Amino acid sequence: MECGNYKTNYSKDMHLFRIPRVKLRIFIIVLLLFLLPLFTSNYVIGLATLCAIASIGAIGLNILTGFTGQISVGVGAFLAIGGYTSAILTSILGWSFWISLPLAGLVTAIVGGIFGIPSLRLKGLYLAIATLAAQFIVLWAIGRFSGLTGGGEGMVLQRPSIGSFTFSSQTSYYYLCLVILLLVTIYTLNLFRAKTGRAFLAVHHRDVAAQIMGIHLLKYKVVAFALSSFIVGIGGALLAHYTMIVTVELYSIDVSIQYLAMILVGGLGSVFGSILGAIFITLLPVALGYMIEFLTVYMPNAYSLLNSFQEFVFGLVIILFLIFEPGGLIHIWNNIKTYLRLWPFSY
Amino acid sequence: MNKIMEIKNISLQFGGVKALNDVSFHINEGEIFSIIGPNGAGKTSMLNCISGLYKPSEGEIHYKGKNILPMKPHQRTKLGIARAFQNIALFGSMSVLDNLKLGRHTLMKSGFIKSGIYWGAAEKEEVQHRRKVEEVIDFLQLQDIRHTPVDKLPYGLQKRVEVGRALALDPELILLDEPMAGMNASEKEEMSRFILDMLELKNITVVLIEHDLEVVMGLSNHLVVLDFGKQIGFGTPKEVQQNPDVIKAYIGEELTI
């Protein structure tokens, strides 16, 4: 009789989820996500869609910043490239969304790869400033080439369709985003248990040792930038087709900071952390909004004051996370898991 | 015997400091070769020149008859030159297995597309290389810690994983930078066994930096002595022990070996 969970071959030992119970849990969570539209309102589904899109972007950024250790504050720009590429391809050239989506990712990947080249020489804060340049150059270019991008007015997009079916309802678009998020998650999880992902981690930990292990630093850094940008670009295109409009203001530096906050709060170097962080940061303003509404009932005059507190609380949350839980939400989750596993004994 | 590596008149300069000054020696295939010298003599600088982290200002390094100086570090690794660092340079939060698998990086092929899809080609490759990594694990007796993150391991074991990562490459030449630093007598003995086995069982030529003279004299076939970047002795342990320069500059006036 087996008295444990034994692996009888190497393939089994390297599965994504090595314990059947965990597999079941993940399956149930995914199932619940797919069933969500059955018992919630359109408003909630809209929020869930935004969370899914943000998760895609956050995973993309985490590949670069959390896993490979290259700080980027240019996510906003890369989201913009994804959104605008898809807008130009679908609205001006009239191409199908299903071709534009991967192309949007590809164009973003190329631009991201180019901005990744300085990473060979620049590290840490210096690299952050270089990616900040990406943010400004891209936004400037979008404003400048107004013939193509509509300049300050932005562009209008359509929801995608297959045959006669259009993803115009909240629910259908939610499913589309959820499926893509699922694919991105599986891809990323796989990546980090095989050669390329390990090399990314090695570059993060010790680039000198990584070099001696035979890792071509420039190649892997540029690939990390391109791969991350590809996923961010996909997220950008999905977001553009969801809001059905792209303007320069939607992709300011604030957005970049927000995405950085997502992976910081969620957990650097964790796929599930990225998703948790994305949900947290997306829903935080909504939760604060409810709170303000609630408080305004009692203090009607304080509305404007409380409203300005939103930004304050946002900043406070990030600072508190940095101080008390640098590992992020995923670390809290893991701690709870360890606690429950040993409960009620502490050893 | 065949020379696997030849160091020809290497000089390395940092500003006004001459870290290495006209150093020449050669390493035979299938031997244990040691580089010794007091602290700051340039031993690690020499290894850095061999593995490509430093670019010497003069001289040539030939590996199997080919000058490798124009090559980048990762290209030299592909030739079969592996290295274990003095200050442990493992990838901290990754497991022992992942660290060892990284050692096999140059031997694996799947790129970011195959890696991400995983099922199929990449999985097959992972399993195949896992088998090789397990051989290293058996060799260095790391079985019960294979899934442990390396930064949770005690120092001695980390050193061993560091050596294991270099071994995982299946190298022809392995550079070991003080693999026994900070170890106690029994750990040193164990490591010495591993080094001898590398040569005997896997036919890997070993280049060793070590301070413990008893170990060095016992293990090495040949050795070179550096002092302040200058080469003051080269030959078999016997020859070096009788070299008056070495006695004077390195071991001191009172010779007790």
Side-chain angles (χ1 to χ4, degrees), chain A residues 9-16 18 186-203 205-217 220 223 227, chain B residues 51 53 73-74 77 81 83 85 88-94 97-98 101-103 105-106 108-113 115-119 122-123 126-127 130-131 134 147 165 169:
Chain A
N9 62 42
Y10 292 139
S11 166
K12 272 188 194 161
D13 195 36
M14 296 186 291
H15 275 181
L16 269 185
R18 293 204 298 254
I186 293 171
Y187 174 83
T188 315
L189 285 174
N190 278 336
L191 188 71
F192 286 97
R193 58 179 176 147
K195 180 189 173 188
T196 310
R198 270 201 305 273
F200 285 169
L201 287 165
V203 170
H205 282 292
R206 285 172 192 273
D207 47 2
V208 173
Q211 237 177 329
I212 298 297
M213 293 298 105
I215 293 167
H216 190 318
L217 278 190
Y220 275 92
V223 167
L227 213 54
Chain B
S51 56
L53 294 177
H74 62 91
T77 310
I81 305 177
R83 170 165 182 188
F85 286 85
I88 296 169
L90 293 168
F91 307 112
S93 59
M94 299 168 80
L97 261 179
D98 278 344
K101 272 192 194 156
L102 262 166
H105 179 85
T106 51
M108 299 174 89
K109 285 189 192 71
S110 48
F112 63 92
I113 294 173
S115 286
I117 295 168
Y118 193 78
W119 293 285
E123 182 175 24
E126 288 290 317
V127 171
R130 170 77 185 265
R131 214 159 270 147
E134 289 291 337
H147 287 295
R165 192 177 57 177
L169 184 77

